[in-house]
Amino acid sequence: MKSIRRNLTIWLLGGLSLILVAAGAGIYVAVRTSLIKAVDAEMAVDMQLLRNLGKAESEPSFAGKGFPKGIGKGPGKGPSRRVPADRKFLNKIPAYDDLESGSFYQSWDGDGKLDEKSASLGERNLPKIERTTPDPTFAFDQLDNGTPVRLLSFKVAPGGKGRPKGDRRRPENGTTIVIARDMEATEKTLSTLLGGLIAVGFVAGLGTFALVGTAVNRGLKPLRGLGTKTREINSNSLDFRFDDGGAPAELLPVYDRLNDLLARIESSFERERRFSSDLAHEMRTPVAELKTMAEVALQWPEKADTSTHQESLDIAQQLESMIENLLALARWESGELSLRPEQVSLKEAAEKSWEPHAKKAEERNLEVEFDVTDEAALRTDPGMLRHIFDNLFSNAVEYTNEGGRIEVEAQGDRFEITNSANGITEEEVGQFFDRCWRRDPSRSDSAEHSGLGLSLARACAKALDLSLSARLEDSKIRFSLFPEEKMSPASS
Protein backbone atom coordinates (compact mmCIF):
# COMPACT_ATOMS: atom_id res chain seq x y z
CA MET A 1 0.00 0.00 0.00
CA LYS A 2 2.88 2.35 0.72
CA SER A 3 4.25 1.72 -2.72
CA ILE A 4 0.90 2.60 -4.34
CA ARG A 5 0.61 5.77 -2.28
CA ARG A 6 4.17 6.80 -3.08
CA ASN A 7 3.78 6.13 -6.79
CA LEU A 8 0.48 7.98 -7.01
CA THR A 9 1.91 10.94 -5.12
CA ILE A 10 5.00 11.08 -7.33
CA TRP A 11 3.01 10.87 -10.55
CA LEU A 12 0.44 13.45 -9.47
CA LEU A 13 3.04 15.88 -8.13
CA GLY A 14 5.20 15.40 -11.21
CA GLY A 15 2.28 16.04 -13.55
CA LEU A 16 1.05 19.08 -11.64
CA SER A 17 4.59 20.46 -11.44
CA LEU A 18 4.96 20.19 -15.21
CA ILE A 19 1.61 21.94 -15.65
CA LEU A 20 2.62 24.76 -13.29
CA VAL A 21 6.01 25.20 -14.97
CA ALA A 22 4.43 25.20 -18.42
CA ALA A 23 1.76 27.70 -17.34
CA GLY A 24 4.32 29.99 -15.70
CA ALA A 25 6.60 29.82 -18.73
CA GLY A 26 3.66 30.56 -21.01
CA ILE A 27 2.64 33.61 -18.97
CA TYR A 28 6.21 34.91 -18.84
CA VAL A 29 6.76 34.47 -22.58
CA ALA A 30 3.39 36.05 -23.42
CA VAL A 31 4.01 39.13 -21.23
CA ARG A 32 7.61 39.52 -22.47
CA THR A 33 6.51 39.22 -26.11
CA SER A 34 3.73 41.77 -25.53
CA LEU A 35 6.07 44.30 -23.92
CA ILE A 36 8.69 43.95 -26.64
CA LYS A 37 6.05 44.30 -29.36
CA ALA A 38 4.84 47.51 -27.74
CA VAL A 39 8.38 48.90 -27.72
CA ASP A 40 8.95 47.80 -31.30
CA ALA A 41 5.72 49.49 -32.38
CA GLU A 42 6.83 52.79 -30.84
CA MET A 43 10.21 52.61 -32.55
CA ALA A 44 8.57 51.73 -35.87
CA VAL A 45 6.53 54.95 -35.69
CA ASP A 46 9.70 56.97 -35.04
CA MET A 47 11.45 55.16 -37.90
CA GLN A 48 8.71 56.14 -40.30
CA LEU A 49 8.89 59.75 -39.13
CA LEU A 50 12.66 59.87 -39.53
CA ARG A 51 12.43 58.39 -43.00
CA ASN A 52 9.94 61.07 -43.99
CA LEU A 53 12.22 63.78 -42.56
CA GLY A 54 15.09 62.27 -44.52
CA LYS A 55 13.16 62.64 -47.74
CA ALA A 56 12.22 66.24 -46.91
CA GLU A 57 15.80 67.15 -46.07
CA SER A 58 17.04 65.95 -49.44
CA GLU A 59 14.69 68.32 -51.37
CA PRO A 60 15.93 71.82 -52.46
CA SER A 61 15.46 74.81 -50.17
CA PHE A 62 14.65 78.32 -51.27
CA ALA A 63 15.01 81.39 -49.08
CA GLY A 64 14.47 85.15 -49.57
CA LYS A 65 15.36 86.42 -52.98
CA GLY A 66 14.83 84.49 -56.04
CA PHE A 67 11.93 82.54 -54.59
CA PRO A 68 10.23 81.11 -57.70
CA LYS A 69 7.05 82.80 -58.73
CA GLY A 70 3.90 81.12 -57.57
CA ILE A 71 5.71 78.59 -55.39
CA GLY A 72 5.31 78.50 -51.69
CA LYS A 73 2.83 81.36 -51.40
CA GLY A 74 -0.45 81.28 -49.67
CA PRO A 75 -3.30 83.79 -49.24
CA GLY A 76 -2.18 86.58 -46.95
CA LYS A 77 1.17 84.95 -46.31
CA GLY A 78 4.67 85.65 -47.32
CA PRO A 79 6.94 83.19 -48.96
CA SER A 80 7.15 79.81 -47.20
CA ARG A 81 10.23 77.52 -47.00
CA ARG A 82 11.05 73.91 -47.55
CA VAL A 83 12.92 72.24 -44.71
CA PRO A 84 16.48 73.59 -44.95
CA ALA A 85 19.23 71.11 -45.71
CA ASP A 86 21.18 72.06 -42.63
CA ARG A 87 18.36 71.21 -40.22
CA LYS A 88 18.82 67.96 -38.25
CA PHE A 89 16.31 65.14 -37.87
CA LEU A 90 16.04 65.53 -34.13
CA ASN A 91 14.65 69.03 -34.37
CA LYS A 92 11.36 67.36 -35.16
CA ILE A 93 11.55 64.71 -32.36
CA PRO A 94 12.33 66.60 -29.15
CA ALA A 95 11.76 63.48 -27.00
CA TYR A 96 15.24 62.26 -27.91
CA ASP A 97 16.72 65.31 -26.19
CA ASP A 98 15.04 64.46 -22.87
CA LEU A 99 17.60 62.80 -20.60
CA GLU A 100 14.85 60.93 -18.73
CA SER A 101 12.95 59.74 -21.79
CA GLY A 102 14.87 56.52 -22.28
CA SER A 103 14.81 57.12 -26.03
CA PHE A 104 18.09 57.28 -27.98
CA TYR A 105 19.06 58.14 -31.48
CA GLN A 106 22.28 58.04 -33.48
CA SER A 107 23.05 58.30 -37.21
CA TRP A 108 26.00 57.86 -39.50
CA ASP A 109 26.46 59.31 -42.98
CA GLY A 110 27.17 57.32 -46.09
CA ASP A 111 30.90 57.34 -45.32
CA GLY A 112 30.33 55.83 -41.89
CA LYS A 113 31.09 59.05 -40.00
CA LEU A 114 29.05 60.04 -37.00
CA ASP A 115 26.37 62.40 -38.22
CA GLU A 116 24.15 63.04 -35.26
CA LYS A 117 23.11 61.58 -31.89
CA SER A 118 20.51 62.43 -29.32
CA ALA A 119 21.32 64.49 -26.24
CA SER A 120 19.85 61.66 -24.14
CA LEU A 121 22.92 59.56 -24.96
CA GLY A 122 25.36 62.01 -23.38
CA GLU A 123 28.84 60.53 -23.75
CA ARG A 124 27.46 57.11 -24.60
CA ASN A 125 27.12 55.68 -28.08
CA LEU A 126 24.78 53.27 -29.75
CA PRO A 127 26.28 50.30 -31.57
CA LYS A 128 26.19 50.66 -35.34
CA ILE A 129 24.53 47.75 -37.10
CA GLU A 130 25.79 47.66 -40.66
CA ARG A 131 23.12 47.10 -43.26
CA THR A 132 23.31 46.81 -47.05
CA THR A 133 19.57 47.13 -47.62
CA PRO A 134 16.93 49.51 -46.30
CA ASP A 135 15.18 46.69 -44.41
CA PRO A 136 14.98 47.50 -40.69
CA THR A 137 16.57 45.18 -38.12
CA PHE A 138 15.60 44.76 -34.45
CA ALA A 139 18.16 43.61 -31.88
CA PHE A 140 19.01 43.63 -28.19
CA ASP A 141 22.23 45.18 -26.90
CA GLN A 142 23.73 47.28 -24.10
CA LEU A 143 25.04 50.82 -23.85
CA ASP A 144 28.56 51.56 -22.69
CA ASN A 145 27.37 51.71 -19.06
CA GLY A 146 25.57 48.36 -19.33
CA THR A 147 22.05 49.71 -19.79
CA PRO A 148 20.00 47.15 -21.76
CA VAL A 149 18.40 48.58 -24.89
CA ARG A 150 16.21 47.50 -27.77
CA LEU A 151 17.66 48.63 -31.10
CA LEU A 152 16.12 49.38 -34.47
CA SER A 153 18.57 49.94 -37.31
CA PHE A 154 17.61 51.12 -40.78
CA LYS A 155 18.93 53.19 -43.69
CA VAL A 156 17.59 56.30 -45.37
CA ALA A 157 18.65 56.26 -48.99
CA PRO A 158 19.61 59.63 -50.54
CA GLY A 159 17.17 60.81 -53.11
CA GLY A 160 14.63 63.45 -54.02
CA LYS A 161 14.74 66.35 -56.44
CA GLY A 162 17.72 68.59 -56.76
CA ARG A 163 20.35 65.90 -57.22
CA PRO A 164 22.94 66.64 -59.88
CA LYS A 165 22.06 64.94 -63.14
CA GLY A 166 23.77 61.58 -63.39
CA ASP A 167 24.18 61.26 -59.63
CA ARG A 168 23.13 57.63 -59.11
CA ARG A 169 23.60 57.12 -55.39
CA ARG A 170 23.18 53.56 -54.09
CA PRO A 171 21.14 52.75 -50.94
CA GLU A 172 24.27 51.78 -49.06
CA ASN A 173 25.52 55.34 -49.42
CA GLY A 174 22.53 56.63 -47.46
CA THR A 175 22.29 57.54 -43.80
CA THR A 176 22.40 54.70 -41.24
CA ILE A 177 20.08 55.40 -38.36
CA VAL A 178 19.83 53.48 -35.07
CA ILE A 179 17.12 54.31 -32.58
CA ALA A 180 16.87 52.63 -29.21
CA ARG A 181 14.70 52.29 -26.12
CA ASP A 182 15.89 51.79 -22.60
CA MET A 183 14.74 48.31 -21.56
CA GLU A 184 15.87 48.51 -17.94
CA ALA A 185 12.35 49.18 -16.66
CA THR A 186 10.98 46.42 -18.89
CA GLU A 187 13.65 44.01 -17.65
CA LYS A 188 12.79 44.91 -14.06
CA THR A 189 9.12 44.31 -14.79
CA LEU A 190 9.93 40.94 -16.33
CA SER A 191 12.22 40.06 -13.41
CA THR A 192 9.48 40.98 -10.96
CA LEU A 193 7.01 38.89 -12.94
CA LEU A 194 9.42 35.94 -13.02
CA GLY A 195 10.03 36.22 -9.28
CA GLY A 196 6.29 36.38 -8.67
CA LEU A 197 5.68 33.32 -10.83
CA ILE A 198 8.41 31.39 -8.99
CA ALA A 199 7.00 32.43 -5.62
CA VAL A 200 3.46 31.53 -6.63
CA GLY A 201 4.71 28.27 -8.08
CA PHE A 202 6.55 27.45 -4.85
CA VAL A 203 3.50 28.19 -2.71
CA ALA A 204 1.28 26.30 -5.16
CA GLY A 205 3.72 23.39 -5.06
CA LEU A 206 3.58 23.20 -1.27
CA GLY A 207 -0.19 23.43 -1.32
CA THR A 208 -0.40 20.83 -4.07
CA PHE A 209 1.88 18.49 -2.13
CA ALA A 210 -0.36 18.72 0.91
CA LEU A 211 -3.56 18.38 -1.11
CA VAL A 212 -2.25 15.47 -3.19
CA GLY A 213 -1.06 13.64 -0.09
CA THR A 214 -4.42 14.11 1.59
CA ALA A 215 -6.34 13.16 -1.56
CA VAL A 216 -4.26 10.03 -2.11
CA ASN A 217 -4.65 8.93 1.51
CA ARG A 218 -8.40 9.45 1.39
CA GLY A 219 -8.64 7.80 -2.01
CA LEU A 220 -6.76 4.71 -0.78
CA LYS A 221 -8.76 4.43 2.43
CA PRO A 222 -11.31 2.04 0.86
CA LEU A 223 -8.43 -0.13 -0.38
CA ARG A 224 -6.95 -0.29 3.10
CA GLY A 225 -10.35 -1.31 4.43
CA LEU A 226 -10.60 -3.92 1.70
CA GLY A 227 -7.19 -5.29 2.62
CA THR A 228 -8.12 -5.47 6.30
CA LYS A 229 -11.32 -7.38 5.56
CA THR A 230 -9.53 -9.72 3.19
CA ARG A 231 -6.89 -10.51 5.80
CA GLU A 232 -9.61 -11.67 8.21
CA ILE A 233 -10.97 -14.28 5.77
CA ASN A 234 -9.97 -17.90 6.49
CA SER A 235 -11.22 -21.38 5.69
CA ASN A 236 -13.96 -21.04 8.30
CA SER A 237 -15.37 -17.79 6.92
CA LEU A 238 -15.51 -18.45 3.18
CA ASP A 239 -19.19 -17.55 3.20
CA PHE A 240 -18.19 -13.91 3.78
CA ARG A 241 -19.03 -11.50 0.96
CA PHE A 242 -17.88 -7.92 0.53
CA ASP A 243 -20.66 -5.36 0.81
CA ASP A 244 -20.30 -2.92 -2.06
CA GLY A 245 -22.83 -0.50 -0.62
CA GLY A 246 -21.20 2.92 -0.41
CA ALA A 247 -18.05 1.68 -2.15
CA PRO A 248 -16.37 3.95 -4.73
CA ALA A 249 -17.49 3.27 -8.28
CA GLU A 250 -13.89 2.44 -9.26
CA LEU A 251 -13.80 -0.42 -6.71
CA LEU A 252 -17.15 -1.99 -7.61
CA PRO A 253 -15.55 -4.31 -10.23
CA VAL A 254 -12.95 -5.34 -7.63
CA TYR A 255 -15.69 -6.13 -5.09
CA ASP A 256 -17.55 -8.17 -7.71
CA ARG A 257 -14.46 -10.15 -8.69
CA LEU A 258 -13.53 -10.81 -5.08
CA ASN A 259 -17.04 -12.01 -4.28
CA ASP A 260 -16.95 -14.28 -7.33
CA LEU A 261 -13.56 -15.60 -6.22
CA LEU A 262 -14.82 -16.26 -2.70
CA ALA A 263 -17.85 -18.07 -4.12
CA ARG A 264 -15.61 -20.31 -6.22
CA ILE A 265 -13.23 -20.94 -3.32
CA GLU A 266 -16.14 -21.75 -1.03
CA SER A 267 -17.54 -24.13 -3.62
CA SER A 268 -14.14 -25.78 -4.04
CA PHE A 269 -13.68 -26.15 -0.27
CA GLU A 270 -17.16 -27.55 0.07
CA ARG A 271 -16.48 -30.00 -2.73
CA GLU A 272 -13.20 -31.06 -1.09
CA ARG A 273 -14.90 -31.47 2.27
CA ARG A 274 -17.60 -33.55 0.65
CA PHE A 275 -14.97 -35.57 -1.21
CA SER A 276 -13.03 -36.22 1.99
CA SER A 277 -16.21 -37.33 3.73
CA ASP A 278 -17.25 -39.49 0.80
CA LEU A 279 -13.80 -41.02 0.49
CA ALA A 280 -13.73 -41.84 4.19
CA HIS A 281 -17.13 -43.45 3.86
CA GLU A 282 -16.15 -45.39 0.75
CA MET A 283 -12.99 -46.75 2.34
CA ARG A 284 -14.43 -47.39 5.78
CA THR A 285 -16.56 -50.34 4.64
CA PRO A 286 -13.88 -52.35 2.81
CA VAL A 287 -11.32 -51.64 5.54
CA ALA A 288 -13.80 -52.77 8.19
CA GLU A 289 -14.49 -55.93 6.19
CA LEU A 290 -10.79 -56.71 5.90
CA LYS A 291 -10.35 -56.09 9.60
CA THR A 292 -13.24 -58.37 10.47
CA MET A 293 -12.02 -61.14 8.18
CA ALA A 294 -8.51 -60.86 9.60
CA GLU A 295 -9.83 -61.09 13.17
CA VAL A 296 -11.96 -64.14 12.28
CA ALA A 297 -8.98 -65.81 10.60
CA LEU A 298 -6.88 -65.22 13.69
CA GLN A 299 -9.60 -66.43 16.03
CA TRP A 300 -10.58 -69.51 14.02
CA PRO A 301 -7.75 -70.28 11.62
CA GLU A 302 -9.08 -73.76 10.98
CA LYS A 303 -12.26 -72.33 9.44
CA ALA A 304 -10.46 -70.30 6.79
CA ASP A 305 -11.26 -71.44 3.23
CA THR A 306 -10.73 -70.38 -0.36
CA SER A 307 -13.86 -68.19 -0.49
CA THR A 308 -12.60 -66.17 2.45
CA HIS A 309 -9.29 -65.53 0.76
CA GLN A 310 -11.03 -64.64 -2.52
CA GLU A 311 -13.26 -62.14 -0.72
CA SER A 312 -10.24 -60.56 0.93
CA LEU A 313 -8.55 -60.31 -2.46
CA ASP A 314 -11.64 -58.64 -3.99
CA ILE A 315 -11.74 -56.06 -1.20
CA ALA A 316 -8.02 -55.36 -1.61
CA GLN A 317 -8.46 -54.95 -5.37
CA GLN A 318 -11.34 -52.52 -4.77
CA LEU A 319 -9.13 -50.45 -2.47
CA GLU A 320 -6.26 -50.63 -4.95
CA SER A 321 -8.50 -49.49 -7.81
CA MET A 322 -9.82 -46.60 -5.74
CA ILE A 323 -6.32 -45.49 -4.75
CA GLU A 324 -5.05 -45.73 -8.33
CA ASN A 325 -8.02 -43.72 -9.57
CA LEU A 326 -7.41 -41.05 -6.97
CA LEU A 327 -3.73 -40.84 -7.90
CA ALA A 328 -4.60 -40.65 -11.60
CA LEU A 329 -7.18 -37.95 -10.88
CA ALA A 330 -4.61 -35.91 -8.96
CA ARG A 331 -2.07 -36.25 -11.80
CA TRP A 332 -4.53 -35.31 -14.52
CA GLU A 333 -5.98 -32.36 -12.60
CA SER A 334 -2.51 -31.00 -11.90
CA GLY A 335 -1.40 -31.39 -15.55
CA GLU A 336 1.42 -33.84 -14.77
CA LEU A 337 0.93 -35.70 -18.05
CA SER A 338 2.92 -36.61 -21.10
CA LEU A 339 0.50 -36.46 -24.03
CA ARG A 340 1.09 -38.11 -27.39
CA PRO A 341 -1.55 -36.63 -29.68
CA GLU A 342 -2.41 -38.27 -32.98
CA GLN A 343 -5.38 -38.47 -35.33
CA VAL A 344 -7.83 -40.92 -33.71
CA SER A 345 -10.87 -42.45 -35.42
CA LEU A 346 -13.82 -42.00 -33.04
CA LYS A 347 -15.57 -45.01 -34.54
CA GLU A 348 -12.66 -47.36 -33.96
CA ALA A 349 -11.96 -46.02 -30.46
CA ALA A 350 -15.62 -46.26 -29.42
CA GLU A 351 -16.01 -49.84 -30.68
CA LYS A 352 -12.88 -51.02 -28.84
CA SER A 353 -13.96 -49.28 -25.63
CA TRP A 354 -17.45 -50.80 -25.83
CA GLU A 355 -16.30 -54.43 -26.06
CA PRO A 356 -15.71 -54.96 -22.27
CA HIS A 357 -19.21 -53.61 -21.52
CA ALA A 358 -21.18 -55.42 -24.21
CA LYS A 359 -21.79 -58.57 -22.14
CA LYS A 360 -23.20 -56.68 -19.15
CA ALA A 361 -25.41 -54.58 -21.45
CA GLU A 362 -26.78 -57.80 -22.93
CA GLU A 363 -27.43 -59.23 -19.45
CA ARG A 364 -29.48 -56.11 -18.57
CA ASN A 365 -31.39 -56.29 -21.88
CA LEU A 366 -30.15 -52.86 -22.96
CA GLU A 367 -30.77 -51.73 -26.52
CA VAL A 368 -27.57 -50.20 -27.93
CA GLU A 369 -27.35 -48.19 -31.16
CA PHE A 370 -24.13 -46.88 -32.71
CA ASP A 371 -24.37 -44.00 -35.19
CA VAL A 372 -20.69 -43.08 -35.67
CA THR A 373 -19.50 -41.95 -39.09
CA ASP A 374 -16.22 -43.17 -40.54
CA GLU A 375 -15.05 -39.57 -40.92
CA ALA A 376 -15.52 -38.73 -37.22
CA ALA A 377 -12.07 -38.13 -35.75
CA LEU A 378 -10.14 -36.16 -33.14
CA ARG A 379 -6.48 -35.28 -32.84
CA THR A 380 -5.79 -36.33 -29.29
CA ASP A 381 -4.04 -38.87 -27.05
CA PRO A 382 -5.65 -42.28 -27.89
CA GLY A 383 -4.98 -43.85 -24.46
CA MET A 384 -6.67 -41.05 -22.50
CA LEU A 385 -9.54 -40.88 -25.00
CA ARG A 386 -10.24 -44.60 -24.51
CA HIS A 387 -10.18 -44.02 -20.74
CA ILE A 388 -12.89 -41.37 -21.16
CA PHE A 389 -14.96 -43.68 -23.37
CA ASP A 390 -14.57 -46.55 -20.91
CA ASN A 391 -15.92 -44.50 -18.00
CA LEU A 392 -18.80 -43.13 -20.06
CA PHE A 393 -19.82 -46.60 -21.26
CA SER A 394 -19.46 -48.08 -17.77
CA ASN A 395 -21.66 -45.32 -16.32
CA ALA A 396 -24.29 -45.76 -19.05
CA VAL A 397 -24.49 -49.55 -18.65
CA GLU A 398 -24.60 -49.33 -14.86
CA TYR A 399 -27.25 -46.64 -14.46
CA THR A 400 -29.54 -47.12 -17.47
CA ASN A 401 -32.77 -48.72 -16.32
CA GLU A 402 -33.33 -52.42 -17.09
CA GLY A 403 -34.31 -52.81 -20.76
CA GLY A 404 -33.39 -49.20 -21.45
CA ARG A 405 -31.67 -47.73 -24.49
CA ILE A 406 -28.15 -46.41 -25.11
CA GLU A 407 -27.35 -44.31 -28.20
CA VAL A 408 -23.78 -43.54 -29.29
CA GLU A 409 -23.32 -40.80 -31.90
CA ALA A 410 -20.28 -39.13 -33.43
CA GLN A 411 -19.95 -36.66 -36.29
CA GLY A 412 -16.91 -34.57 -37.11
CA ASP A 413 -15.07 -34.08 -33.84
CA ARG A 414 -18.12 -34.32 -31.56
CA PHE A 415 -18.94 -37.49 -29.59
CA GLU A 416 -22.18 -38.06 -27.61
CA ILE A 417 -23.71 -40.85 -25.51
CA THR A 418 -27.39 -40.81 -24.58
CA ASN A 419 -29.13 -43.21 -22.20
CA SER A 420 -32.44 -43.45 -20.36
CA ALA A 421 -32.58 -41.10 -17.38
CA ASN A 422 -34.07 -43.69 -14.99
CA GLY A 423 -35.60 -40.97 -12.79
CA ILE A 424 -32.51 -38.73 -12.71
CA THR A 425 -33.26 -35.10 -11.74
CA GLU A 426 -31.59 -31.86 -12.90
CA GLU A 427 -29.98 -31.43 -9.49
CA GLU A 428 -28.46 -34.91 -9.66
CA VAL A 429 -27.11 -34.24 -13.18
CA GLY A 430 -25.22 -31.27 -11.75
CA GLN A 431 -23.44 -33.64 -9.33
CA PHE A 432 -22.40 -36.26 -11.89
CA PHE A 433 -18.79 -35.07 -12.03
CA ASP A 434 -18.31 -34.66 -8.27
CA ARG A 435 -15.76 -37.08 -6.89
CA CYS A 436 -17.14 -40.06 -4.95
CA TRP A 437 -20.73 -39.07 -5.73
CA ARG A 438 -23.14 -41.92 -6.33
CA ARG A 439 -26.84 -41.63 -6.78
CA ASP A 440 -27.69 -44.48 -4.40
CA PRO A 441 -28.00 -42.86 -0.94
CA SER A 442 -27.29 -46.21 0.71
CA ARG A 443 -23.75 -46.12 -0.76
CA SER A 444 -23.71 -49.66 -2.16
CA ASP A 445 -20.57 -51.68 -1.77
CA SER A 446 -20.08 -52.22 -5.47
CA ALA A 447 -16.42 -52.95 -6.14
CA GLU A 448 -16.81 -51.66 -9.67
CA HIS A 449 -18.12 -48.16 -8.94
CA SER A 450 -16.61 -45.84 -6.37
CA GLY A 451 -18.06 -42.61 -7.76
CA LEU A 452 -14.81 -41.56 -9.39
CA GLY A 453 -15.40 -42.60 -13.00
CA LEU A 454 -16.99 -39.42 -14.35
CA SER A 455 -14.59 -37.24 -12.33
CA LEU A 456 -11.69 -39.08 -13.97
CA ALA A 457 -13.31 -38.73 -17.39
CA ARG A 458 -13.72 -34.97 -17.02
CA ALA A 459 -10.17 -34.58 -15.70
CA CYS A 460 -8.86 -36.46 -18.75
CA ALA A 461 -11.01 -34.34 -21.07
CA LYS A 462 -9.69 -31.14 -19.51
CA ALA A 463 -6.11 -32.35 -19.92
CA LEU A 464 -6.86 -32.97 -23.61
CA ASP A 465 -8.48 -29.51 -24.04
CA LEU A 466 -11.86 -31.18 -24.50
CA SER A 467 -15.16 -30.31 -22.89
CA LEU A 468 -17.21 -33.08 -21.24
CA SER A 469 -20.72 -32.07 -20.18
CA ALA A 470 -24.01 -33.72 -19.23
CA ARG A 471 -27.57 -32.49 -19.58
CA LEU A 472 -31.10 -33.82 -19.23
CA GLU A 473 -33.16 -33.96 -22.45
CA ASP A 474 -36.62 -35.52 -22.73
CA SER A 475 -36.08 -37.96 -19.84
CA LYS A 476 -32.68 -38.89 -21.29
CA ILE A 477 -29.13 -38.06 -20.16
CA ARG A 478 -26.84 -36.83 -22.89
CA PHE A 479 -23.07 -36.75 -22.39
CA SER A 480 -21.20 -34.59 -24.95
CA LEU A 481 -17.46 -34.58 -25.67
CA PHE A 482 -15.97 -32.01 -28.07
CA PRO A 483 -13.09 -29.51 -28.35
CA GLU A 484 -13.40 -26.60 -25.90
CA GLU A 485 -13.34 -23.90 -28.60
CA LYS A 486 -16.62 -25.32 -29.94
CA MET A 487 -18.41 -25.18 -26.61
CA SER A 488 -21.80 -23.51 -26.78
CA PRO A 489 -24.14 -22.31 -24.04
CA ALA A 490 -26.54 -25.15 -24.76
CA SER A 491 -23.89 -27.74 -24.08
CA SER A 492 -22.11 -26.12 -21.15
Side-chain angles (χ1 to χ4, degrees):
M1 195 64 67
K2 290 182 179 179
S3 176
I4 295 177
R5 182 168 60 248
R6 182 173 61 252
N7 290 337
L8 282 175
T9 303
I10 290 174
W11 277 101
L12 287 174
L13 287 177
L16 290 173
S17 298
L18 288 176
I19 293 174
L20 288 174
V21 170
I27 293 173
Y28 179 82
V29 171
V31 172
R32 183 176 184 274
T33 301
S34 178
L35 292 175
I36 292 174
K37 283 184 176 181
V39 173
D40 291 349
E42 292 178 2
M43 292 195 295
V45 172
D46 288 357
M47 176 188 71
Q48 190 61 41
L49 178 59
L50 291 172
R51 278 181 166 174
N52 292 337
L53 289 174
K55 291 179 181 179
E57 184 187 48
S58 64
E59 292 188 3
S61 63
F62 303 94
K65 301 177 184 180
F67 191 78
K69 183 178 180 180
I71 298 179
K73 293 183 179 181
K77 295 183 181 179
S80 61
R81 296 175 178 269
R82 299 286 186 178
V83 178
D86 59 350
R87 295 289 296 275
K88 301 298 183 184
F89 293 162
L90 295 180
N91 290 340
K92 297 297 182 180
I93 312 178
Y96 284 95
D97 288 330
D98 186 355
L99 298 178
E100 303 298 329
S101 67
S103 300
F104 310 106
Y105 166 91
Q106 192 164 336
S107 64
W108 293 263
D109 61 19
D111 297 327
K113 295 180 181 180
L114 178 63
D115 183 31
E116 182 182 10
K117 73 176 183 177
S118 62
S120 58
L121 277 172
E123 298 298 326
R124 298 169 296 182
N125 289 286
L126 292 176
K128 181 183 179 184
I129 302 176
E130 295 293 342
R131 300 290 298 168
T132 59
T133 65
D135 298 332
T137 300
F138 289 94
F140 285 101
D141 211 321
Q142 291 183 345
L143 298 180
D144 299 339
N145 62 350
T147 301
V149 291
R150 177 70 166 169
L151 303 175
L152 174 57
S153 174
F154 60 96
K155 283 183 178 292
V156 176
K161 298 178 181 179
R163 289 185 304 179
K165 188 176 182 179
D167 182 9
R168 300 184 180 277
R169 302 178 186 178
R170 295 177 297 172
E172 56 267 27
N173 292 330
T175 301
T176 299
I177 300 175
V178 176
I179 58 178
R181 290 290 189 275
D182 187 344
M183 299 295 290
E184 188 170 4
T186 302
E187 293 293 336
K188 287 183 179 179
T189 300
L190 291 175
S191 297
T192 302
L193 175 63
L194 182 60
L197 290 174
I198 292 175
V200 170
F202 180 75
V203 173
L206 292 178
T208 300
F209 181 81
L211 289 175
V212 167
T214 302
V216 169
N217 284 331
R218 294 189 63 180
L220 293 178
K221 185 177 180 180
L223 281 179
R224 288 195 292 271
L226 185 63
T228 301
K229 292 179 181 179
T230 304
R231 187 168 53 247
E232 296 172 354
I233 299 174
N234 54 45
S235 59
N236 296 320
S237 59
L238 291 176
D239 58 345
F240 172 81
R241 296 296 181 269
F242 292 97
D243 182 11
D244 57 7
E250 293 78 8
L251 287 182
L252 290 180
V254 178
Y255 277 66
D256 292 340
R257 300 298 181 273
L258 285 175
N259 286 334
D260 290 343
L261 175 63
L262 286 173
R264 292 196 300 272
I265 293 176
E266 182 184 18
S267 176
S268 298
F269 266 71
E270 182 61 31
R271 187 167 56 252
E272 293 300 326
R273 290 192 185 104
R274 187 167 61 248
F275 168 68
S276 299
S277 176
D278 292 343
L279 181 62
H281 183 93
E282 294 291 339
M283 299 188 72
R284 183 185 295 115
T285 300
V287 169
E289 290 176 350
L290 283 177
K291 180 181 178 182
T292 300
M293 294 176 66
E295 289 175 347
V296 169
L298 289 173
Q299 186 70 27
W300 296 286
E302 68 281 357
K303 293 184 178 182
D305 55 16
T306 304
S307 61
T308 303
H309 298 318
Q310 183 62 47
E311 187 176 354
S312 298
L313 178 60
D314 292 341
I315 295 172
Q317 287 177 340
Q318 178 186 359
L319 288 172
E320 181 184 23
S321 175
M322 184 180 299
I323 292 171
E324 287 180 352
N325 286 337
L326 287 172
L327 291 175
L329 184 60
R331 286 197 306 271
W332 292 336
E333 287 184 339
S334 63
E336 298 176 5
L337 300 168
S338 178
L339 302 178
R340 296 178 176 82
E342 61 182 66
Q343 197 71 8
V344 179
S345 169
L346 294 181
K347 182 176 183 180
E348 181 180 346
E351 289 175 349
K352 287 184 177 180
S353 299
W354 173 253
E355 290 177 0
H357 308 281
K359 183 178 180 181
K360 187 170 184 179
E362 185 178 350
E363 293 174 354
R364 302 193 66 221
N365 297 320
L366 300 180
E367 182 182 352
V368 182
E369 179 182 349
F370 272 74
D371 183 15
V372 182
T373 63
D374 294 333
E375 295 78 16
L378 268 176
R379 181 167 180 78
T380 186
D381 185 287
M384 293 186 68
L385 182 64
R386 282 194 294 271
H387 191 90
I388 296 174
F389 285 173
D390 181 66
N391 280 285
L392 291 177
F393 287 141
S394 175
N395 180 81
V397 171
E398 179 72 19
Y399 295 105
T400 300
N401 55 300
E402 189 82 20
R405 179 181 176 83
I406 298 176
E407 300 174 4
V408 181
E409 304 173 62
Q411 290 184 351
D413 55 4
R414 188 181 186 92
F415 180 85
E416 293 185 326
I417 296 180
T418 305
N419 59 275
S420 305
N422 196 16
I424 291 289
T425 65
E426 287 281 1
E427 183 180 357
E428 290 173 329
V429 171
Q431 296 177 296
F432 274 1
F433 299 101
D434 291 349
R435 288 174 287 185
C436 289
W437 181 85
R438 290 192 298 188
R439 186 187 180 197
D440 186 1
S442 65
R443 306 281 189 177
S444 67
D445 298 332
S446 171
E448 296 181 10
H449 295 278
S450 57
L452 294 172
L454 292 179
S455 298
L456 286 168
R458 173 167 276 187
C460 290
K462 185 176 181 181
L464 297 173
D465 292 329
L466 300 175
S467 175
L468 177 60
S469 61
R471 64 184 185 275
L472 194 61
E473 291 183 352
D474 300 328
S475 300
K476 295 181 180 180
I477 302 171
R478 181 182 294 272
F479 289 89
S480 301
L481 180 71
F482 48 88
E484 286 189 343
E485 62 269 16
K486 294 191 175 183
M487 184 169 59
S488 62
S491 58
S492 59

